[in-house]
Amino acid sequence: MSAVRTGLALAFLLTTCGAAAALAANEKGATPAVLRPAEVAPSPRAVPVEAVLTLREPVRVQSGGGLNPLWTAALSGMAALLGAVVGYIGTTRNGRATIIQKTNELEIESIEKRLSDFVGPFLHLSGENKILAQELKRNQPDAANFRTLTALLTNGWLAGLAPADKTLLDAVVDNGKVLRKLMSEKGSSAVSIQLMPYFSKASAHFRFLELAAAGSLEMDPARYSEYVYPRQLDGVMLAEQKRLLDRREALRSNPSKAHPPMPDLVISGDLKLLAEPAAANSAAASGSLT
């Protein structure tokens, strides 16, 4: 940028100096030197010739003999200035286009990393856990309302499980540990901040599930009923995946365009978390005191 500005300044200076010099020469006039041989005395041998300079009338530029020197200098300077301006504009546009394209490429890389490091593995493992849990509840008396956490905290339920169902339960608990670690280590930096409440609730569920399976909690299903798995999380994660994929496609389809920021995640009403009873009661009690 500084080199282009220096070129513009130099072109302007040359234009000014050239025009001034031509104007001075045209108005004051140049005094050409005319050589006239001096008289030579008769002599049988050659003698040196003396050159005498005589001032004549100023030289005038004929209008029909070509361009005026003033116009010649001015046009040359203008051409140089125009070239510098065109070069500056071209350099500026090319530089801006390069920056925009590089920015889009970096955002595409970031989106692909978020999809491959977190969103994809989470949806894969969560889907597997859902299938395992559905198979576990297949043989339950009230399959429609069955929840694994509350079942674990019901007296006699764990002891009455068939060996195959006990294996399924262990797989669900193990997957929960992996999902909780994945959300804790990579969730906050990979997806919209709107998913954080869902992650907190899901992480708490998997932790309670692990403790219940180990027999570390008292048999009180009502107390822990609000910590069952938030089923809305699966739908919200799919919406987030679509948001990231749509953004990547928009960047790829027009890599040289300056795109607006990625739209925020829109969570539909059926996927919103319900207010927790304990939190609602606490807020009501706090409000009554103020």
Side-chain angles (χ1 to χ4, degrees):
M1 185 69 72
S2 60
V4 174
R5 291 177 177 173
T6 303
L8 289 172
L10 182 58
F12 180 76
L13 181 60
L14 291 175
T15 303
T16 304
C17 292
L23 182 61
N26 190 42
E27 291 188 354
K28 291 184 178 180
T31 54
V34 180
L35 297 179
R36 188 179 66 180
E39 295 182 355
V40 181
S43 172
R45 59 189 181 85
V47 296
V49 177
E50 180 182 2
V52 179
L53 296 177
T54 305
L55 297 178
R56 298 276 183 169
E57 61 182 5
V59 178
R60 301 295 181 183
V61 178
Q62 300 296 327
S63 59
L67 288 176
N68 188 300
L70 176 62
W71 284 106
T72 302
L75 290 175
S76 299
M78 290 174 64
L81 183 62
L82 179 61
V85 171
V86 172
Y88 170 77
I89 295 174
T91 302
T92 302
R93 287 181 176 177
N94 291 337
R96 184 173 183 272
T98 301
I99 292 174
I100 291 174
Q101 184 166 350
K102 185 62 177 177
T103 301
N104 291 340
E105 290 174 357
L106 291 175
E107 186 176 355
I108 291 173
E109 292 178 6
S110 173
I111 291 174
E112 290 179 341
K113 182 174 177 61
R114 293 157 70 179
L115 289 169
S116 61
D117 288 0
F118 178 76
V119 177
F122 181 92
L123 288 174
H124 170 79
L125 197 56
S126 179
E128 177 186 317
N129 230 28
K130 184 177 181 180
I131 295 173
L132 293 173
Q134 286 175 342
E135 183 60 31
L136 177 62
K137 74 178 183 179
R138 182 190 298 272
N139 295 327
Q140 303 306 314
D142 187 10
N145 297 316
F146 175 79
R147 303 307 294 264
T148 307
L149 177 59
T150 54
L152 272 171
L153 298 174
T154 301
N155 284 317
W157 181 83
L158 182 60
L161 280 181
D165 289 338
K166 181 65 170 62
T167 301
L168 291 174
L169 175 64
D170 292 341
V172 170
V173 173
D174 290 341
N175 280 352
K177 295 177 184 178
V178 178
L179 286 168
R180 187 163 65 90
K181 182 179 180 181
L182 190 62
M183 287 184 287
S184 174
E185 294 180 352
K186 298 182 178 180
S188 61
S189 61
V191 294
S192 170
I193 194 173
Q194 297 181 67
L195 276 134
M196 295 306 104
Y198 295 84
F199 288 166
S200 297
K201 193 170 180 61
S203 295
H205 162 74
F206 290 129
R207 183 58 174 158
F208 282 124
L209 191 67
E210 180 184 354
L211 294 173
S216 301
L217 298 177
E218 67 273 22
M219 295 298 173
D220 188 357
R223 175 181 177 183
Y224 299 98
S225 61
E226 64 183 272
Y227 302 115
V228 295
Y229 182 76
R231 292 172 176 170
Q232 302 94 327
L233 175 56
D234 298 332
V236 176
M237 280 297 297
L238 288 174
E240 175 67 356
Q241 181 188 46
K242 184 180 185 304
R243 183 178 78 106
L244 294 174
L245 290 174
D246 289 347
R247 177 65 173 184
R248 185 182 66 178
E249 179 60 27
L251 295 172
R252 284 178 173 177
S253 63
N254 202 339
S256 60
K257 175 184 176 181
H259 295 266
M262 181 169 23
D264 292 333
L265 175 64
V266 177
I267 301 177
S268 59
D270 60 318
L271 295 178
K272 293 184 181 296
L273 288 174
L274 300 177
E276 298 180 3
N281 294 335
S282 177
S286 175
S288 63
L289 296 176
T290 55

